Amino acid sequence: MKAAVIVFPGSNREGDMARALEQATGKKPAMLWHADHELPAGTDLVVLPGGFSYGDYLRCGAIAGRAAIMDAVRAHAARGGLVLGVCNGFQILCESGLLPGVLMRNANLRFVCKMQHLRVERSDTAFTRQYAKGQVIEVCIAHGEGNYEADDATIERIEGEGLVAFRYCDAAGVIGGAANPNGSRNDIAGVYSEKRNVLGLMPHPENLIDPLVGGIDGRALFASLASAA
Amino acid sequence: MKARVVVTLKNGVLDPQGKAIEGALKSLGVAGVDSVRQGKVFDVEVTGADAASAKAQLTAACEKLLANTVIENYQIDI
């Protein structure tokens, strides 16, 4: 598994992401700058980390979504290569057209930073094969604009094609109501591309890989990726 | 040539910031405000032979970056 992490001006979770990837794969990922034009030869996985790329000016992820390196990321995804975007990385994937929909301001207008339960919607993808379908995991969220929205036809399509990766839920796995921290449509916390080789999610699995910080429920995602390629 | 681009949320898209501003106006006692939607204004200097070509350039700017057409509409005034 050869991973590359793209760093944009304003990214701030790239270190956590690199640690999680190294723990799972035994290899340090390549760190790439947004102005680069090519991925290292043989890259299996491209990761867009969290943060505030370009200060979130214009819209979250809008300017990063058009950065020079994104053409290479789009080509990699079109070839079937794996792409993971977390938090601001998810926003960048939506703005770049690699995933449908958009992340809007949280419905309650508050920045939320807390532990959050998620339901794993399927366990047959490169990202989740080491989880069980329907498994409830606990990771953390930290975002002001994580309210997933798309038009009705798009929501119907992604639900119909099984492209919802994770939903916000409570400890018992029940979705809806107070278990939804930001107003996302259908409690959506993460979405796959059509071929399920691109995943964007708002929560931060890379921060739950060490018991020291309160849990290791994020490890299985990176272990799944490590065994995928 | 000076142009102004206004980007607004499409009808039906929840605008929590607009709602908060609407609530603040009501609490300030401003009468007659039924609802508020927040948008963005871009004042742009364009080099173009005529208004039509400038408008074409700005349409490209809106489609490529200034607006997210999933949730936003845009209007160009030259």
Side-chain angles (χ1 to χ4, degrees):
Chain A
M1 159 61 69
K2 210 170 159 188
V5 178
I6 316 279
V7 182
F8 297 92
S11 293
N12 61 20
R13 298 294 186 108
E14 69 273 20
D16 311 57
M17 190 58 79
R19 269 191 294 280
L21 290 164
E22 187 176 357
Q23 183 191 68
T25 66
K27 277 188 286 190
K28 282 186 194 300
M31 305 302 280
L32 302 187
W33 185 231
H34 67 110
D36 289 342
H37 286 84
E38 283 176 30
L39 304 172
T43 298
D44 300 301
L45 166 71
V46 176
V47 184
L48 309 179
F52 297 88
S53 58
Y54 299 88
D56 275 352
Y57 288 178
L58 188 59
R59 299 177 304 275
C60 298
I63 299 177
R66 282 103 182 142
I69 192 70
M70 290 306 292
D71 284 337
V73 177
R74 268 185 283 270
H76 171 77
R79 285 193 295 271
L82 296 168
V83 181
L84 170 68
V86 169
C87 201
N88 191 228
F90 185 14
Q91 295 161 342
I92 294 168
L93 288 174
C94 287
E95 278 285 346
S96 68
L98 279 162
L99 290 175
V102 64
L103 282 313
M104 306 224 4
R105 184 68 56 102
N106 294 346
N108 64 9
L109 285 177
R110 295 198 182 101
F111 189 97
V112 286
C113 180
K114 65 183 186 94
M115 296 298 285
Q116 169 73 44
H117 289 96
L118 298 180
R119 194 172 78 191
V120 180
E121 293 295 292
R122 55 191 306 160
S123 58
D124 59 348
T125 75
F127 302 89
T128 57
R129 59 184 58 170
Q130 301 218 7
Y131 292 113
K133 178 177 161 66
Q135 185 180 344
V136 176
I137 61 171
E138 192 177 23
V139 290
C140 62
I141 53 171
H143 59 247
E145 311 213 1
N147 179 357
Y148 186 78
E149 273 291 338
D151 60 51
D152 293 343
T154 303
I155 293 286
E156 200 173 309
R157 180 178 69 79
I158 63 178
E159 290 284 1
E161 294 177 7
L163 302 182
V164 176
F166 301 98
R167 284 184 220 273
Y168 301 111
C169 65
D170 67 14
V174 178
I175 60 170
N180 182 332
N182 54 31
S184 280
R185 280 284 287 272
N186 294 12
D187 307 284
I188 292 170
V191 173
Y192 293 114
S193 64
E194 255 167 71
K195 289 189 285 182
R196 300 193 187 94
N197 60 318
V198 180
L199 167 65
L201 73 164
M202 286 315 294
H204 288 278
E206 77 280 14
N207 290 139
L208 271 298
I209 61 156
D210 190 322
L212 271 177
V213 294
I216 55 166
D217 283 4
R219 275 189 190 173
L221 185 138
F222 298 98
S224 299
L225 285 166
S227 66
Chain B
M1 202 176 307
K2 285 186 194 303
R4 175 164 282 190
V5 177
V6 178
V7 176
T8 50
L9 283 171
K10 288 180 176 173
N11 284 335
V13 175
L14 176 70
D15 177 9
Q17 294 171 98
K19 280 270 168 228
I21 296 162
E22 179 187 318
L25 288 173
K26 281 179 183 150
S27 70
L28 286 169
V30 178
V33 176
D34 289 332
S35 78
V36 177
R37 307 276 288 167
Q38 180 176 292
K40 298 187 185 89
V41 171
F42 303 87
D43 284 322
V44 190
E45 286 278 354
V46 240
T47 316
D50 51 64
S53 69
K55 189 158 189 173
Q57 285 167 287
L58 287 169
T59 301
C62 288
E63 292 286 335
K64 283 183 179 173
L65 182 65
L66 296 183
N68 181 328
T69 54
V70 176
I71 48 165
E72 292 171 329
N73 292 319
Y74 58 86
Q75 186 191 320
I76 299 164
D77 293 313
I78 298 181

